Amino acid sequence: GFNHKDIEAAKELGITVSKTPSVLTDCTADIAKSLLLMVARRVGEGERELRSDNWTGWRPTHLLGTKVTGKKLGIIGFGRIGQAVAQRAKFGFNMDILYWDPFDLPEEVVSKYNATKLDTIEDICKESDFVSVNCPATKETFHLMNEQRFKLMKPTAFVINTARGDIIDEKALLAALADKEIAGAGLDVYEKEPLPQDHKLRFLPNALLLPHIGYVTAENYSKFYSQMIENLESCLENKPQRIIS
């Protein structure tokens, strides 16, 4: 997917870029919730152990995980996808919803999830048991999750990213995970894709990694291509629908 650097490069080349809003919302939110559950309950570690034939049987505290139900979920970026993540968390797992967004949202949206807006991202980091990154990649959000903000998070907290890789400073994340400043990370996107073979994230057991599959479903692609054709027709007819450059 595009990030702000790609869009700027396209503008310099005179290329028109369009967007396909709402198509990706539900499936991306599904993956965010999947990552949250998997990293909290150490699903990746457990599957690797079983498949490598290293599981020696049930033990009382083996792969001791973190409960999800009833915990505080902080959402950075409360747009379509952020709200869809809140929907799953609130009504599926009775989580308390905290959010930060640069825009004021309608009261009916906020009250629907009984959500609480916090003043700063720092507040989100301090208060949340899980931090879900759901904002767009822009100049302003580049390395938004950095060393200082990871240090504000609870040592029992997790960060989830299904937005864009460069919103998280991966060097800072690696340090936070290795030093156990935070409990874990669930990631579907990375600063450099595909993830290099020698990348240190690959070797951290408290990092749950997926290969950028957030929106990859058969149903999504059918809608995606239909909307792409509509966008192309709009562009040829000089209509501004979904044009972003």
Side-chain angles (χ1 to χ4, degrees):
F2 290 128
N3 59 32
H4 70 281
K5 293 180 182 177
D6 297 322
I7 293 173
E8 287 176 0
K11 286 181 179 180
E12 290 180 2
L13 293 171
I15 297 172
T16 298
V17 179
S18 69
K19 56 185 177 180
T20 55
S22 78
V23 171
L24 315 180
T25 300
D26 282 327
C27 292
T28 303
D30 288 346
I31 283 290
K33 193 61 187 178
S34 298
L35 283 167
L36 190 156
L37 288 166
M38 291 171 73
V39 71
R41 296 300 304 274
R42 303 177 68 178
V43 172
E45 293 176 72
E47 192 196 26
R48 288 193 296 273
E49 182 179 285
L50 188 147
R51 286 183 180 273
S52 61
D53 203 24
N54 287 321
W55 182 39
T56 59
W58 182 85
R59 298 168 330 259
T61 58
H62 177 230
L63 289 176
L64 190 67
T66 298
K67 183 180 178 181
V68 171
T69 299
K71 294 294 183 68
K72 292 181 179 180
L73 172 61
I75 299 175
I76 298 176
F78 210 53
R80 285 185 300 270
I81 295 174
Q83 291 170 35
V85 172
Q87 174 85 16
R88 287 149 179 75
K90 181 65 179 176
F91 301 111
F93 295 87
N94 196 31
M95 298 184 82
D96 290 332
I97 306 301
L98 313 174
Y99 76 95
W100 176 87
D101 196 281
F103 302 104
D104 291 326
L105 299 172
E107 178 57 32
E108 60 266 25
V109 171
V110 178
S111 61
K112 178 179 179 180
Y113 309 107
N114 194 24
T116 301
K117 182 176 183 178
L118 300 188
D119 292 333
T120 66
I121 295 170
E122 284 73 17
D123 292 329
I124 291 286
C125 293
K126 291 176 186 177
E127 297 293 329
S128 303
D129 298 305
F130 298 88
V131 174
S132 181
V133 177
N134 298 109
C135 57
T138 65
K139 289 180 180 178
E140 291 74 25
T141 63
F142 179 76
H143 284 185
L144 178 145
M145 290 300 293
N146 53 33
E147 179 182 0
Q148 291 74 26
R149 285 171 173 157
F150 284 127
K151 287 184 181 299
L152 292 174
M153 291 176 64
K154 303 174 185 178
T156 54
F158 300 82
V159 63
I160 310 298
N161 189 11
T162 54
R164 286 291 179 265
D166 62 6
I167 299 173
I168 288 182
D169 180 344
E170 282 181 5
K171 185 177 290 187
L173 175 62
L174 282 166
L177 291 170
D179 296 341
K180 297 185 178 179
E181 291 177 348
I182 64 173
L187 308 173
D188 187 43
V189 289
Y190 310 92
E191 289 203 66
K192 184 176 181 181
E193 297 183 8
L195 194 67
Q197 288 188 344
D198 61 349
H199 200 294
K200 292 181 180 179
L201 277 173
R202 291 176 178 265
F203 308 104
L204 290 174
N206 53 348
L208 195 291
L209 312 176
L210 292 180
H212 202 151
I213 59 170
Y215 59 85
V216 184
T217 64
E219 295 85 351
N220 259 4
Y221 270 97
S222 177
K223 294 178 182 178
F224 180 67
Y225 289 126
S226 294
Q227 202 164 101
M228 281 179 59
I229 292 170
E230 290 178 15
N231 289 0
L232 179 59
E233 291 173 344
S234 296
C235 183
L236 292 174
E237 295 170 5
N238 291 319
K239 295 179 180 178
Q241 183 181 14
R242 306 190 192 106
I243 304 301
I244 59 175
S245 77

